[in-house]
Amino acid sequence: MYQIAIMGFGTVGTGVAKVIETNQESICRRLGEPLRVKSILVRHFKDGPYRSLMTDDFQTIESDKEISVVVETIGGVDAAYTYTKRALMAGKHVVTANKQLVAEHGNELLALAKEHHVNYLFEASVGGGIPVLPPLTQRLAANRIDEIYGILNGTTNYILTKMVQEGMPFSDALAQAQALGYAEADPTADVEGHDAGRKICILADLAFGRRFDPAVVPMEGISKIDLRDIKIAEDNGWHVKLLGRCLRLGEFERTAYVAPHLIREDNPVSHVNDVFNAVVVRGNATGEVMFYGKGAGELPTASACVSDVLECLLERPARPEIDWSEDTDGFVDPKEIPGRFYFRISGSIAEAEKLFGEVLVLKDGEESALIAGPMTESTAKQAASKLSVLAQMRVLD
Amino acid sequence: MYQIAIMGFGTVGTGVAKVIETNQESICRRLGEPLRVKSILVRHFKDGPYRSLMTDDFQTIESDKEISVVVETIGGVDAAYTYTKRALMAGKHVVTANKQLVAEHGNELLALAKEHHVNYLFEASVGGGIPVLPPLTQRLAANRIDEIYGILNGTTNYILTKMVQEGMPFSDALAQAQALGYAEADPTADVEGHDAGRKICILADLAFGRRFDPAVVPMEGISKIDLRDIKIAEDNGWHVKLLGRCLRLGEFERTAYVAPHLIREDNPVSHVNDVFNAVVVRGNATGEVMFYGKGAGELPTASACVSDVLECLLERPARPEIDWSEDTDGFVDPKEIPGRFYFRISGSIAEAEKLFGEVLVLKDGEESALIAGPMTESTAKQAASKLSVLAQMRVLD
């Protein structure tokens, strides 16, 4: 029998216990032996079916030789960071859904895992239940990955879907997302793009093999999106989505950012709605491949954690391809990467064309909307400073 | 250095050689050593950059101890079957894109591979460059897989896209697909659903652990689809797609089939157009997860083959989860599985409702269109025999 511990027993932690219980049969078929949760680390004991497994003392887990894998679902950095290090040093595999910890300290924790011949796996940190990291690191290994982009945050996608489908203003849609439990009481990390930003950093780290520091990756959220721009976009065959995106620019040069984008309706990503996530990986041989599913939630995220637990237990060598260099050099500010931009201006298309040359017209009148470029964001901002710009957004080409 | 052989040098075989050449750097990073094509088995020698590697004698490959993996891209059963068996018996891993061979003899070849401690991998047989089999067998292992459905054939999806977007009749769209090289001179395997049928059998074999015999899985293609039904569907928020689908019905009971379906436009699969493929896997923990990308073509398919080659070479134990029982018992005729059905009839909705009870009305008049059910196909056919049915199609719910 294999035995594991769960640290933290919120939504994801509870889900992990449930998935192991419910799907014991298929898990056992895969492992050849049953899998059991032996200990659950909590701060405060809670009654319920798992009460007898709870402990508030990390040391009982750390020193328990029977526990071979620890699932960290504490979240954040502090305690999660400390316990993860100690678990790895005690020779236990660690599996996590904690994107903040991976984005900020992934390097160090992976190195520590290698040193102790165990795995540090974090499939659940990106895309919840969608299996995207192993395809990226293993199955697309015959490709040079040139770009990854996607809808990486379910809360903001839910809000945008409400804004589009029901013409609901941002603040009302946010309130509804909070009422449904999709958004936190403090929604900053979601709506300002930080959550998506951590995820694009992890994807980019793995795809390009060098560290993306979340502190220097520009992240813009959806709180400033106006319903008028959504309407103009929709009327012209475009959808507005919050994307995380990273691009290979040269051998070492690369960029990443999070920002709202206009996406053509013939791109399947534009039809990803509600709390669903989608990640598009562009390889030089395979072209664009998309992974789609529920990016959050108790069971999908837990399913990814348990799948990582199985991976750890199947006695393969620690996976060497999950790795990236600590080197952050070569990061190019996305402002300097040419792309097309959407503008809504107070004024006519003729005025815009004086500055931008020929543009794609979405609306002409006293208030006009257009797509201009390709040009860098710096150039766009400079040109736009001579216009009365009411809204500006990136366009995904 | 790792050395491999390619058998057959058509589109996919050539692609394999190209991908290995172009992406030598990322392949080498993953393998720790270079990868080289040592021999190419052909029936007729062809001039070109690979001329010096060609042989028409399988024995030179079979007896070459330096060749550890053979990529079979011959296609069909006969020679491919014989050489695959001999290569496995000679202790070489075999990688293939040959869905017919896998669907018909996968069992036997997997058993032979296990016996000789090598792998028989066939990622490229389903979904071209989309990594779908490893997520299914490895990453969703913490799930009970309940259903898989998808657009598994690029040629028919291209034809349907032309019919929808340009109102082109089936025969014209087929001719265009042939002119572009998307469809064979004899398009039967594609347009009658056999190609999609082999693929759904392979997915179902892996997901449910028991053999699906392509000979008993009903396969219906797109040659009878009328533009009028496409138009009625589109006007009502539905799209018409050819789907392969398999369902878990009980512990052993299961079904599979290929047929055109009406799909709601809020299902992302309905927006998968042109030669793209999409596979949806429904797990009891992760919910619906979709994999999307180019399902065919030289480089995407070759990329999947090369990725399987790397998998074979990375000295992991032969993958035990790629396996299914030979047992074909428990297959239930999909005619007996309840679902909804689309009908176009000569007559009014009132007439239809006398038979079906309340229906979803898509068009009322002298010619009417409706969605009825849930009911089994047998019931549907029986009821419909009392109506003047002009067209009938499954509905994906």
Side-chain angles (χ1 to χ4, degrees), chain B residues 147-194:
Chain B
E147 179 177 3
I148 301 177
Y149 65 87
I151 296 171
L152 300 172
N153 179 275
T155 307
T156 44
N157 203 39
Y158 176 84
I159 292 172
L160 282 174
T161 304
K162 286 283 144 188
M163 292 173 75
V164 170
Q165 292 181 351
E166 300 175 22
M168 203 182 266
F170 169 76
S171 52
D172 294 3
L174 170 60
Q176 193 173 102
Q178 284 171 320
L180 287 166
Y182 294 154
E184 309 279 332
D186 176 2
T188 316
D190 287 327
V191 303
E192 299 306 344
H194 306 159

Side-chain angles (χ1 to χ4, degrees), chain A residues 112-380:
Chain A
L112 197 62
K114 277 198 197 357
E115 195 184 314
H116 294 273
H117 310 289
V118 288
N119 281 312
Y120 180 53
L121 298 182
F122 39 84
E123 164 76 89
S125 67
V126 181
I130 315 169
V132 56
L133 301 191
L136 184 65
T137 51
Q138 298 182 293
R139 299 306 308 179
L140 298 173
N143 283 265
R144 188 190 64 227
I145 307 292
D146 290 326
E147 180 178 1
I148 301 178
Y149 65 87
I151 296 172
L152 301 172
N153 178 275
T155 308
T156 44
N157 203 40
Y158 176 84
I159 293 172
L160 282 174
T161 305
K162 286 284 144 187
M163 291 173 76
V164 169
Q165 292 181 350
E166 301 175 22
M168 205 182 267
F170 169 76
S171 52
D172 294 3
L174 171 60
Q176 192 173 101
Q178 284 171 320
L180 288 165
Y182 294 155
E184 310 279 331
D186 175 2
T188 316
D190 287 328
V191 302
E192 298 306 343
H194 306 159
D195 176 80
R198 286 166 190 145
K199 292 170 180 167
I200 198 67
C201 283
I202 296 172
L203 289 166
D205 288 339
L206 287 168
F208 301 147
R210 276 159 187 262
R211 181 160 190 251
F212 283 69
D213 181 357
V216 304
V217 169
M219 300 172 190
E220 185 190 333
I222 62 166
S223 57
K224 288 177 204 134
I225 295 177
D226 194 304
L227 275 177
R228 271 173 299 184
D229 299 302
I230 287 180
K231 176 80 172 56
I232 292 168
E234 293 281 320
D235 289 346
N236 286 276
W238 298 80
H239 296 285
V240 175
K241 292 289 180 193
L242 182 69
L243 295 184
R245 188 171 180 222
C246 63
L247 280 163
R248 180 188 298 276
L249 305 169
E251 201 180 345
F252 300 121
E253 293 73 33
R254 60 210 188 280
T255 192
Y257 64 90
V258 176
H261 283 73
L262 262 66
I263 312 181
R264 286 287 319 167
E265 65 184 4
D266 60 4
N267 184 328
V269 169
S270 74
H271 298 282
V272 172
N273 288 322
D274 299 317
V275 293
F276 284 87
N277 282 198
V279 181
V280 175
V281 179
R282 181 159 59 82
N284 71 334
T286 203
E288 289 204 347
V289 175
M290 182 173 94
F291 304 89
Y292 163 95
K294 279 196 186 135
E298 187 186 51
L299 295 183
T301 309
S303 148
C305 286
V306 177
S307 160
D308 270 348
V309 170
L310 303 192
E311 183 84 23
C312 291
L313 291 173
L314 282 168
E315 290 180 66
R316 291 176 177 176
R319 290 175 49 197
E321 77 280 7
I322 301 190
D323 197 11
W324 57 86
S325 132
E326 211 171 335
D327 190 356
T328 53
D329 284 358
F331 184 82
V332 178
D333 191 322
K335 280 196 182 57
E336 303 314 321
I337 312 306
R340 290 200 295 163
F341 288 87
Y342 163 89
F343 292 97
R344 178 161 53 87
I345 60 171
S346 169
S348 70
I349 289 292
E351 285 171 61
E353 287 196 324
K354 272 181 222 153
L355 279 160
F356 295 126
E358 204 181 340
V359 299
L360 178 66
V361 181
L362 304 188
K363 185 173 184 284
D364 197 359
E366 277 178 36
E367 192 178 283
S368 301
L370 57 106
I371 289 174
M375 59 185 140
T376 65
E377 194 181 339
S378 307
T379 312

Side-chain angles (χ1 to χ4, degrees), chain B residues 42-59:
Chain B
V42 294
R43 262 191 303 188
H44 307 289
F45 291 89
K46 276 172 278 190
D47 280 338
Y50 300 102
R51 176 66 183 80
S52 63
L53 307 179
M54 290 180 186
T55 172
D56 57 4
D57 179 11
F58 174 69
Q59 240 192 315

